[in-house]
Amino acid sequence: MAENNAKQLKDLDQIRALIQKHKKNDFIFAFIGMFIIASLTITLLILFLDLFFDGYPRLGLEFFSNYPSRKAIQAGILSAWIGSSLVLIVTFLVAVPMGIAAGVYLEEYAKKNWLSDLIEINVSNLAGVPSIIYGLLALGLFVYSFGLGQSILTAGLTLALLMLPVVIVATRESIRAIPVHIREAAFAVGATKWQVVLNHVIPYSYGGILTGVIIGMARAIGETAPVITIGALTFIAFLPPSPIGTEAPFLNFDWLQSGFTVLPIQMFNWISRPQYEFHVNAAATGAVIIVLTALMNGFAIKLRYDVRKKIKW
Amino acid sequence: MVATQRKTTQKKRFNDVVKAESRNLDFYYADGTQALKNVNLDVYENKITALIGPSGCGKSTFLRSFNRMHDLYTGNRYDGQIVLHPDNTNILDKKVDPIEVRMRISMVFQKPNPFPKSIYENVAYGLRVRGEANTHVLDEKVEEALKGASLWEEVKDRLHDLAFNLSGGQQQRLCIARALATEPEIMLFDEPTSALDPIATVNIEELMSELKKKLSILIVTHNMQQAARISDYCAYMYLGELVEHDLTDKIFTNPSKKETEDYITGKFG
Ligand SMILES: Nc1ncnc2c1ncn2[C@@H]1O[C@H](COP(=O)(O)OP(=O)(O)O)[C@@H](O)[C@H]1O
Ligand SMILES: [Mg+2]
């Protein structure tokens, strides 16, 4: 009896020692992870603060309402932020419907065979193609073949191409997250495929899709190479025609054909000047881009959070 | 054009009216697995028919053939027929649209699977799919279905709450209401209480005995006591084959096959 107790006690000691050892591994892994995340966050923060303090003297309302100028103090980003906004509107209106439609088709309608596998691999790879390649494609196709010119429309379409794979992949992944038993429940009451897509698949996956869309847009806002390739201007002291007209139908599409510049190009332009004062402008523009990107990502996180609260499987 | 006169059929066995019958039914999954072998089984009107047998013997496969669920996945193949009376339609016929079949035969799944929508929308969905948009009609039918699933009293004040906020047993009754709202001829249940606690289970069992007054029920159950408690007919399946099919009392007291007896008495399975 006593012997038995002693043996059990010894076993217990062994178990505890083992748990201690495993706990130590937990701790080491958590520490390494924390360290990596902290260094990344701190690097990003330092970068941002550096830009912010360098650009601080220019970050006033006038910076947003002035055209670029030969005098650094008076120069602003009016044409650049309006250009960026208009280009992004085109990108959004083209990439989102096309991306969602393509994702839904691939996931719900396409037969699973070698062809769909091939398309799948290519779509994923497209997301990794250097953006300047898209710029070259756009220069050949949109500017020269279609004759769309070096316009806002061309830039919007180019960035839409860049964003399309992101939207397609996000759409497919959120669709796949819908459990089979929910889908079967819809079919079991007699719904057609289209009814299932419209009433279930899209409503349940739109949180994930929108997250993908916003992250894609945040990337598009900072893209420089493809926009330079298609010939965005670097010094613009005018605005495109207003999209909203004064007479019926109050919409005006002339702006699509207008020349333009965008925020990162404006920044690039200033940074390549020899005078230090322009570098201040560049830093301020950089801070604006980072804040915009962060805001968009924050919005994406909030959206995902709201949807998760409503839909849990 | 001459309106075609539909031939109606009526059959009786064991003094009960046959609502549906599978004839020489074979079923193959896309990977070549033969999950059903020559199954011949009747489902009787206003009766509960229970399918029992060890896990993997093909009960769910058989049940899901009745609403052509297997058609959702490519490569699955049926051989044989499932004939629905009185119209004598072979619902496995390629010419019969699976959606038509699902509009006549509804299904309740193993895990409660309400849509992430409101209680009301869950029940109304089958009607909306059929094009019903009149709010008065929808309100009425939703209420009727919820009453039929004995859920009305518990949810009548929060019809527009999310269905996820209900308990597991309430969710399963909501799924029954959803399946009931479209007034099906047959209702299929695949182990509907296996995810529920004993009290919720009793509620569902009582509900089924109530439902059979209006329709015919085919239920898969893992639980032999449940089959004995609620079913009128019972079928024992093994390895994709139907071993024995008879009145529940007969199966549980005096089965004619040795295998059935071994399974019932717990010597096997
Ligand atoms: N999707 C599938 N593909 C291939 N084989 C399957 C599939 N689903 C089930 N099976 C096989 O078919 C047989 C019957 O399964 P099932 O009908 O689910 O059994 P039960 O419901 O009686 O437990 C099992 O051998 C199972 O492995
Ligand atoms: Mg099963």
Side-chain angles (χ1 to χ4, degrees):
Chain A
M1 194 65 200
E3 210 174 286
N4 219 343
N5 276 344
K7 185 171 177 300
Q8 268 175 15
L9 276 181
K10 192 167 149 268
D11 284 353
L12 196 59
D13 281 344
Q14 269 177 2
I15 290 171
R16 284 184 182 156
L18 191 70
I19 293 173
Q20 278 299 316
K21 204 176 112 201
H22 289 174
K23 279 258 172 80
K24 207 169 79 198
N25 291 344
D26 269 355
F27 178 79
I28 291 172
F29 180 77
F31 182 80
I32 294 175
M34 279 276 280
F35 179 76
I36 293 172
I37 289 173
S39 18
L40 285 177
T41 316
I42 291 171
T43 313
L44 191 67
L45 202 67
I46 290 176
L47 254 170
F48 173 68
L49 287 178
D50 188 45
L51 277 177
F52 182 78
F53 287 123
D54 282 353
Y56 184 74
R58 294 282 187 285
L59 283 169
L61 266 184
E62 284 184 357
F63 189 59
F64 292 91
S65 62
N66 282 354
Y67 289 109
S69 154
R70 243 165 289 151
K71 297 198 193 84
I73 307 269
Q74 285 170 17
I77 54 171
L78 179 65
S79 46
W81 75 258
I82 290 198
S84 274
S85 312
L86 292 176
V87 168
L88 279 189
I89 289 175
V90 175
T91 303
F92 181 87
L93 291 180
V94 173
V96 172
M98 275 177 69
I100 295 180
V104 167
Y105 175 77
L106 287 174
E107 209 48 41
E108 298 288 327
Y109 287 87
K111 289 236 159 59
K112 304 280 173 281
N113 54 27
W114 62 269
L115 187 64
S116 60
D117 287 348
L118 193 73
I119 291 176
E120 165 144 29
I121 292 170
N122 275 301
V123 167
S124 314
N125 282 345
L126 272 182
V129 171
S131 56
I132 189 144
I133 308 279
Y134 284 94
L136 285 175
L137 171 80
L139 186 66
L141 193 68
F142 298 142
V143 180
Y144 293 133
S145 301
F146 294 173
L148 299 180
Q150 301 174 335
S151 60
I152 291 181
L153 181 62
T154 302
L157 290 176
T158 310
L159 294 184
L161 279 184
L162 210 81
M163 201 174 129
L164 211 48
V166 181
V167 179
I168 294 175
V169 170
T171 303
R172 298 190 68 182
E173 270 167 16
S174 354
I175 290 178
R176 274 188 219 155
I178 299 172
V180 174
H181 60 261
I182 296 283
R183 188 187 291 274
E184 288 191 347
F187 280 113
V189 293
T192 61
K193 207 166 218 174
W194 178 239
Q195 285 169 328
V196 172
V197 166
L198 208 62
N199 305 332
H200 301 278
V201 170
I202 290 178
Y204 305 159
S205 55
Y206 90 94
I209 296 176
L210 271 181
T211 309
V213 166
I214 293 169
I215 288 171
M217 301 263 290
R219 193 185 145 193
I221 208 176
E223 276 301 344
T224 324
V227 193
I228 290 186
T229 316
I230 58 171
L233 305 170
T234 48
F235 188 95
I236 287 206
F238 62 88
L239 287 184
S242 165
I244 298 158
T246 45
E247 301 160 35
F250 301 108
L251 281 178
N252 171 350
F253 293 101
D254 292 344
W255 56 277
L256 286 172
Q257 279 133 42
S258 170
F260 68 100
T261 192
V262 291
L263 286 167
I265 290 182
Q266 184 67 72
M267 181 174 169
F268 177 70
N269 174 244
W270 278 330
I271 205 94
S272 25
R273 301 275 187 104
Q275 302 95 326
Y276 172 76
E277 294 86 79
F278 282 107
H279 296 180
V280 175
N281 290 5
T285 315
V288 170
I289 295 176
I290 292 191
V291 167
L292 278 179
T293 314
L295 280 179
M296 288 168 96
N297 279 300
F299 186 59
I301 292 169
K302 163 116 179 62
L303 256 174
R304 200 161 35 191
Y305 176 77
D306 287 351
V307 170
R308 283 228 182 112
K309 254 194 329 206
K310 231 176 75 189
I311 295 178
K312 38 183 182 260
W313 310 115
Chain B
M1 289 290 279
V2 187
T4 44
Q5 181 74 45
R6 277 192 178 282
K7 200 173 75 189
T8 59
T9 45
Q10 203 197 46
K11 273 192 181 177
K12 281 193 158 194
R13 262 175 227 145
F14 294 107
N15 287 323
D16 281 316
V17 178
V18 177
K19 177 63 199 166
E21 55 184 322
S22 73
R23 292 183 187 154
N24 308 327
L25 182 61
D26 294 325
F27 181 81
Y28 305 85
Y29 279 109
D31 63 0
T33 316
Q34 181 172 10
L36 296 175
K37 292 171 196 153
N38 195 30
V39 177
N40 291 282
L41 182 80
D42 297 340
V43 174
Y44 298 99
E45 211 154 281
N46 303 109
K47 298 287 166 199
I48 298 180
T49 303
L51 291 167
I52 59 170
S55 183
C57 70
K59 306 180 295 292
S60 297
T61 306
F62 182 70
L63 192 83
R64 289 161 64 89
S65 305
F66 273 75
N67 64 349
R68 299 268 299 264
M69 229 35 181
H70 300 302
D71 289 44
L72 295 178
Y73 309 98
T74 43
N76 293 337
R77 191 161 62 83
Y78 312 88
D79 247 343
Q81 304 185 326
I82 294 179
V83 176
L84 215 55
H85 298 290
D87 48 314
N88 204 29
T89 306
N90 171 20
I91 58 173
L92 297 184
D93 194 324
K94 291 241 160 26
K95 278 178 266 161
V96 176
D97 196 305
I99 293 170
E100 171 190 323
V101 178
R102 294 178 199 138
M103 290 201 168
R104 300 180 64 182
I105 301 180
S106 64
M107 175 159 182
V108 174
F109 296 77
Q110 184 163 358
K111 235 182 93 197
N113 55 356
F115 303 130
K117 296 180 188 280
S118 70
I119 294 172
Y120 183 95
E121 281 308 321
N122 264 280
V123 183
Y125 189 62
L127 303 164
R128 290 204 192 279
V129 158
R130 286 158 177 76
E132 184 60 74
N134 183 323
T135 16
H136 292 295
V137 178
L138 284 172
D139 286 352
E140 222 165 79
K141 294 211 168 174
V142 166
E143 179 173 343
E144 198 180 312
L146 283 168
K147 280 180 174 159
S150 15
L151 191 59
W152 176 249
E153 286 305 319
E154 292 155 68
V155 301
K156 65 179 179 206
D157 300 322
R158 47 177 175 142
L159 289 176
H160 297 285
D161 276 12
L162 279 180
F164 285 141
N165 296 331
L166 298 173
S167 74
Q170 287 173 326
Q171 285 188 17
Q172 193 62 307
R173 274 180 284 149
L174 180 67
C175 293
I176 293 176
R178 178 175 68 195
L180 196 59
T182 54
E183 296 168 17
E185 296 161 48
I186 302 180
M187 236 161 133
L188 311 169
F189 291 84
D190 193 349
E191 304 192 29
T193 61
S194 63
L196 304 182
D197 63 72
I199 293 177
T201 300
V202 172
N203 286 339
I204 302 266
E205 287 179 3
E206 282 170 357
L207 180 55
M208 276 190 268
S209 308
E210 205 50 46
L211 287 176
K212 75 173 181 183
K213 293 173 189 163
K214 286 183 277 193
L215 40 78
S216 317
I217 291 178
L218 181 61
I219 175 178
V220 167
T221 172
H222 215 72
N223 176 328
M224 266 183 290
Q225 285 76 29
Q226 182 169 65
R229 275 195 301 268
I230 64 170
S231 69
D232 304 288
Y233 291 90
C234 194
Y236 172 60
M237 287 181 70
Y238 183 60
L239 293 179
E241 288 180 85
L242 180 69
V243 177
E244 185 169 354
H245 174 218
D246 213 324
L247 287 161
T248 301
D249 289 339
K250 173 97 180 351
I251 292 265
F252 280 91
T253 52
N254 184 21
S256 37
K257 296 260 172 59
K258 177 89 171 51
E259 297 104 294
T260 315
E261 187 178 341
D262 286 350
Y263 183 71
I264 304 272
T265 53
K267 270 185 219 153
F268 158 78

